Amino acid sequence: MNYSRSIIITGGAGFIGSHVVRLFVNKYPDYRIINVDKLTYAGNLENLRDVADRPNYVFEKVDICDVDAVRDLMHRYDVTGIIHLAAESHVDRSIKDPFLFARTNVLGTLTLLQAAKEYWDDDSRDVLFYHVSTDEVYGALSFDGTLFTEKTPYNPHSPYSASKASSDHFVRAFHDTYGLPVVISNCSNNYGPYQFPEKLIPLFINNIRNRRPLPVYGAGENVRDWLYVEDHARAIDTIFHKGTPGETYNIGGFNEWKNIDLIKALIKVTDRLLGRAEGEDMNLIQHVTDRAGHDLRYAIDATKLSKELGWKPSLQFEEGLEKTVKWYLDNQDWLDHVVSGDYQKYYKEMYDGR
Ligand code: NAD
Ligand code: DAU
């Protein structure tokens, strides 16, 4: 088959990446989608069982910091687009091991940029490097109702957000210095199926089903803006196809929740879907030592994306939360495999010896 485009999606075995891979593989049968993932603890090919055998899907187990391997992929697949999601993504881990975050998020991004620049030098085709970033680069807001816009100055606080901010700067530098066609998007907190149960929502669903304590950092007053992951994947599709090179787009749900309020809503939905009395598990809440440097509030202004490119979130939060809890309870095998580590065997069964 002659594909109209060959697109690398990095981090495709992770949470958001798997939704982006699924969307592109299904929606664009004329694109060859190359999922490039190192399969760290966060990479799980079980997330992509339903598309693993599609003719337009390829998996490549590659570390984005390995410049020779990335150069080889660019040539072998004649790549014309990169959607870059691979990263270390968990703030708490970044506090414990900041060097790993600098390696993957900064040097990994720089490696991909360099390989793309070399391969696309003088390329007259429609090529694009799309960097997926986070609202955390903008720092923390107070409770004054202000929102992050694309013009908000960068002010990262955690090693994770500092590494993402640095990678964003390198992406812009490659545009401004070498003319590499790039777009960047900065998104708020995602939730939905296939999220690694170290992040708030899947961790708490897993703990509620097992009647384990729910560790709320500090008073639980911090605010996050939540977006259903499939809406993020749709936004990435929109920006990849309609965005203007050199531009940045904020993506968010206009959906701010104080942690403690979200946790109480989550307990009620989970209890109900487990057939327990609604709110029965409120006693699992335990206030624990706050996260170091815990950002108080994030809130995204996604007006530019909606006005210029016509994207809007499709789900109300209550609907999205119900759908999410239902998914984890219907897919307890997935949760059990991740918690036990069995998911890492799947790669061996599927791909070793191929
Ligand atoms: P995730 O941790 O679930 O997945 C990351 C993926 O990257 C994994 O599959 C992992 O194996 C892969 N990876 C890590 N290091 C690699 C390396 N050196 N080479 C190749 N692959 C490697 O992350 P996520 O939550 O899906 O986030 C994806 C991207 O979106 C990240 O860039 C993150 O900063 C950004 N983002 C996430 C959120 C969110 O709420 N989760 C919000 C905004 C932006
Ligand atoms: O804003 C986008 C970011 O959202 C992404 O860039 C990150 O990759 C993603 O991990 C997420 O970062 P957060 O730190 O906001 O997500 P997390 O799920 O870790 O925490 C959400 C909030 O809940 C935060 O205020 C910390 C709090 N929390 C988290 C955990 C894991 C708790 O109170 N208890 C917990 O056990």
Side-chain angles (χ1 to χ4, degrees), residues 133-263:
S133 192
T134 171
D135 60 358
E136 302 203 10
V137 297
Y138 298 123
L141 296 164
S142 57
F143 292 123
D144 61 0
T146 50
L147 305 174
F148 297 132
T149 73
E150 288 80 0
K151 295 199 163 44
T152 302
Y154 276 29
N155 186 20
H157 297 127
S158 73
Y160 164 68
S161 53
S163 69
K164 291 296 290 188
S166 172
S167 65
D168 292 9
H169 290 318
F170 270 108
V171 174
R172 291 199 181 93
F174 268 64
H175 176 262
D176 297 347
T177 307
Y178 308 112
L180 191 76
V182 305
V183 281
I184 299 179
S185 58
N186 296 83
C187 187
S188 60
N189 283 61
N190 285 217
Y191 70 101
Y194 301 114
Q195 187 168 29
F196 198 85
E198 62 183 351
K199 307 281 167 65
L200 181 73
I201 290 183
L203 173 71
F204 278 33
I205 295 170
N206 190 39
N207 285 9
I208 296 166
R209 83 175 167 127
N210 291 309
R211 291 217 157 95
R212 290 208 202 103
L214 306 174
V216 178
Y217 297 164
E221 294 293 308
N222 306 68
V223 170
R224 297 290 182 266
D225 168 11
W226 294 92
L227 180 69
Y228 193 66
V229 62
E230 288 179 3
D231 279 336
H232 188 188
R234 278 196 308 105
I236 290 173
D237 177 21
T238 302
I239 294 167
F240 183 77
H241 288 98
K242 297 205 253 168
T244 305
E247 289 293 316
T248 293
Y249 299 89
N250 277 356
I251 310 172
F254 290 106
N255 176 44
E256 291 181 49
W257 281 76
K258 203 179 265 192
N259 287 346
I260 194 68
D261 295 338
L262 184 152
I263 289 161

Side-chain angles (χ1 to χ4, degrees), residues 14-16 37-38 40 43 63-64 85 89 133 160 164 188 190:
F15 166 47
I16 302 169
D37 201 298
K38 181 185 174 181
T40 66
D63 182 344
I64 55 163
L85 296 106
S89 69
S133 192
Y160 164 68
K164 291 296 290 188
S188 60
N190 285 217

Side-chain angles (χ1 to χ4, degrees), residues 10-73:
T10 72
F15 166 47
I16 302 169
S18 63
H19 289 275
V20 178
V21 166
R22 177 174 299 101
L23 177 69
F24 272 66
V25 165
N26 286 328
K27 188 169 172 186
Y28 303 108
D30 58 320
Y31 290 1
R32 178 163 50 184
I33 302 303
I34 306 125
N35 174 10
V36 174
D37 201 298
K38 181 185 174 181
L39 298 183
T40 66
Y41 80 94
N44 182 355
L45 288 173
E46 286 189 21
N47 298 357
L48 289 166
R49 269 181 199 272
D50 53 328
V51 295
D53 292 324
R54 293 296 171 76
N56 64 333
Y57 170 78
V58 192
F59 173 67
E60 290 281 356
K61 187 174 187 297
V62 163
D63 182 344
I64 55 163
C65 298
D66 181 344
V67 72
D68 292 333
V70 175
R71 280 183 182 132
D72 170 62
L73 292 174

